[in-house]
Amino acid sequence: MKLYIINGPNLNMLGIREPDKYGKQSYDYLLTLIRDKCERIGVTPVFFQSNHEGALVDKIQEAYFEGADGIVINPGAYTHTSIALLDAVSATSLPCVEVHISRVEEREDFRQISYIRRACVATITGKGLDGYLEAIDILVNKSYES
Ligand code: DQA
């Protein structure tokens, strides 16, 4: 099973940016965490992070053309603005789980809209980096189907 793990703007700044909201661990630590889990369960992760919307669209399309089995995505602030990311995920028909490190539903009004959510089989918020691991479990176990 091959899963694309896509992170949007500023997630490369994990550990530096607002640690009270996003924790003290770095983006590299996140990759190690995911890589270790994937190794244990026999999943091949493909990692990507970009601060650019179009690059994220390109990567979502690549997931389709490269035969990925699913996508885990934290679109960062593009969650709240990007119809292009919604359309990209919809175009692929791949199962996609939306992850947010912080509990977005308890934050500012402008974070209450998620465009991409309509194309996602599940959303995980407020679980820190473990949210990504939970997203992988959802895709591996196809628990969104039940
Ligand atoms: C975030 C929440 C977004 O509102 C914010 O813009 C981010 C990170 C999260 O992981 O909690 O960049 O997606």
Side-chain angles (χ1 to χ4, degrees):
M1 189 173 203
K2 180 161 69 176
L3 298 180
Y4 272 54
I5 316 290
I6 299 177
N7 278 285
N10 299 307
L11 287 154
N12 57 317
M13 297 288 280
L14 283 179
I16 300 167
R17 74 180 291 212
E18 304 178 87
D20 52 315
K21 296 189 181 75
Y22 303 115
K24 292 185 181 147
Q25 306 288 5
S26 66
Y27 177 69
D28 280 349
Y29 177 87
L30 171 64
L31 299 195
T32 304
L33 198 69
I34 295 174
R35 211 177 272 121
D36 286 354
K37 181 188 174 72
C38 286
E39 221 171 273
R40 285 198 301 276
I41 61 175
V43 165
T44 304
V46 178
F47 295 110
F48 185 70
Q49 187 280 326
S50 177
N51 297 323
H52 304 277
E53 189 175 10
L56 295 164
V57 170
D58 287 345
K59 197 48 83 170
I60 291 165
Q61 292 183 6
E62 181 191 297
Y64 172 78
F65 288 114
E66 292 296 320
D69 299 290
I71 298 172
V72 173
I73 189 164
N74 182 346
Y78 289 139
T79 306
H80 318 299
T81 62
S82 179
I83 298 170
L85 291 184
L86 164 66
D87 285 352
V89 172
S90 302
T92 68
S93 297
L94 289 171
C96 180
V97 179
E98 173 192 13
V99 174
H100 299 287
I101 296 167
S102 66
R103 205 163 160 71
V104 277
E105 55 271 46
E106 290 176 0
R107 298 183 63 191
E108 301 93 329
D109 286 351
F110 59 81
R111 292 184 208 277
Q112 301 314 312
I113 287 175
S114 167
Y115 286 101
I116 206 166
R117 193 161 302 168
R118 291 167 181 250
C120 292
V121 295
T123 296
I124 296 166
T125 71
K127 298 205 168 157
L129 302 187
D130 285 348
Y132 290 84
L133 306 184
E134 201 174 301
I136 290 167
D137 280 333
I138 288 171
L139 291 172
V140 169
N141 301 327
K142 296 192 182 356
S143 38
Y144 52 89
E145 280 181 353
S146 56

